[in-house]
Amino acid sequence: GENVEQHPSTLSVQEGDSAVIKCTYSDSASNYFPWYKQELGKRPQLIIDIRSNVGEKKDQRIAVTLNKTAKHFSLHITETQPEDSAVYFCAASIHNNNDMRFGAGTRLTVKP
Amino acid sequence: DTAVSQTPKYLVTQMGNDKSIKCEQNLGHDTMYWYKQDSKKFLKIMFSYNNKELIINETVPNRFSPKSPDKAHLNLHINSLELGDSAVYFCASSQEGGAGDYGYTFGSGTRLTVV
């Protein structure tokens, strides 16, 4: 089955700096890679996703990159703000497969 | 209206008891899931149901029994609760085609504490 690894487990940045979270996956058949943000005491919420037919996707201050050859993908947050502080999860799954595997999460802290 | 709703939000119970958590989604999704999030925040899949049929059953103790009366509901019943069952349990759903098309919508979670 799919195995997703995520690094770092914790990340602390100064407000305005960039943050990068990296994930690797094991199943080369995986072709859908979402990122979820979970604020303290709340549910995980989808913030951005990427499919294997593209290498990069951007939405305002967040972007994801995908390297299928190396089987890794990354989340980039620019101009971080205190409200970006949360736990971020990467995940991987196969199209039409109801089995999504999550990384272990990264606790991001943005210091004002 | 809440898309994926779970009840109760908090559940405190003694070891050995039997308890149920309910989940309902009003999104018209075909697939529903239960995930367990432990104290280290790791999200681990437990079960997946598609149109009331079980399609994923991870290595979960058989004290856990999911039930899906229809595709909008997926309940989780836990027998003989143990201390290690303490966690936050998240229900989720996804559209036709599975998580690979549109990702998940999560419920707000049920924090289970076994004492």
Side-chain angles (χ1 to χ4, degrees), chain A residues 22-111:
Chain A
K22 298 181 178 182
C23 288
T24 60
Y25 60 99
S26 60
D27 191 341
S28 56
S30 290
N31 57 8
Y32 175 68
F33 308 93
W35 287 87
Y36 288 82
K37 176 184 180 183
Q38 186 178 25
E39 296 176 359
L40 187 64
K42 296 190 176 179
R43 73 191 78 191
Q45 291 198 296
L46 180 69
I47 54 170
I48 195 167
D49 56 17
I50 191 168
R51 289 174 174 76
S52 59
N53 57 346
V54 296
E56 185 173 358
K57 183 176 177 180
K58 191 172 181 181
D59 183 3
Q60 299 183 348
R61 295 187 298 109
I62 59 174
V64 289
T65 58
L66 171 66
N67 184 328
K68 283 219 76 175
T69 303
K71 290 192 280 192
H72 65 69
F73 55 113
S74 301
L75 177 71
H76 305 253
I77 307 174
T78 58
E79 301 171 28
T80 54
Q81 300 165 4
E83 49 266 38
D84 294 331
S85 297
V87 178
Y88 291 81
F89 293 94
C90 63
S93 71
I94 301 168
H95 176 71
N96 273 347
N97 180 313
N98 298 291
D99 184 0
M100 184 183 290
R101 300 294 165 137
F102 286 82
T106 296
R107 184 178 299 279
L108 173 65
T109 303
V110 180
K111 293 179 284 188

Side-chain angles (χ1 to χ4, degrees), chain B residues 82-95:
Chain B
E82 301 177 357
L83 293 177
D85 297 332
S86 296
V88 179
Y89 292 83
F90 283 99
C91 177
S93 69
S94 65
Q95 282 184 319

Side-chain angles (χ1 to χ4, degrees), chain B residues 31-81:
Chain B
T31 307
M32 297 183 72
Y33 313 81
W34 278 109
Y35 275 79
K36 178 180 180 181
Q37 187 171 46
D38 60 25
S39 57
K40 294 183 179 179
K41 300 298 184 184
F42 187 60
L43 272 167
K44 184 173 170 57
I45 191 166
M46 300 174 69
F47 301 103
S48 169
Y49 269 74
N50 181 266
N51 272 315
K52 302 191 299 177
E53 287 191 21
L54 179 66
I55 54 175
I56 292 174
N57 182 352
E58 286 294 287
T59 50
V60 178
N62 57 15
R63 297 182 295 105
F64 291 78
S65 52
K67 282 188 173 52
S68 182
D70 54 61
K71 74 173 192 177
H73 295 84
L74 180 61
N75 304 322
L76 184 65
H77 188 75
I78 315 170
N79 289 329
S80 304
L81 278 156

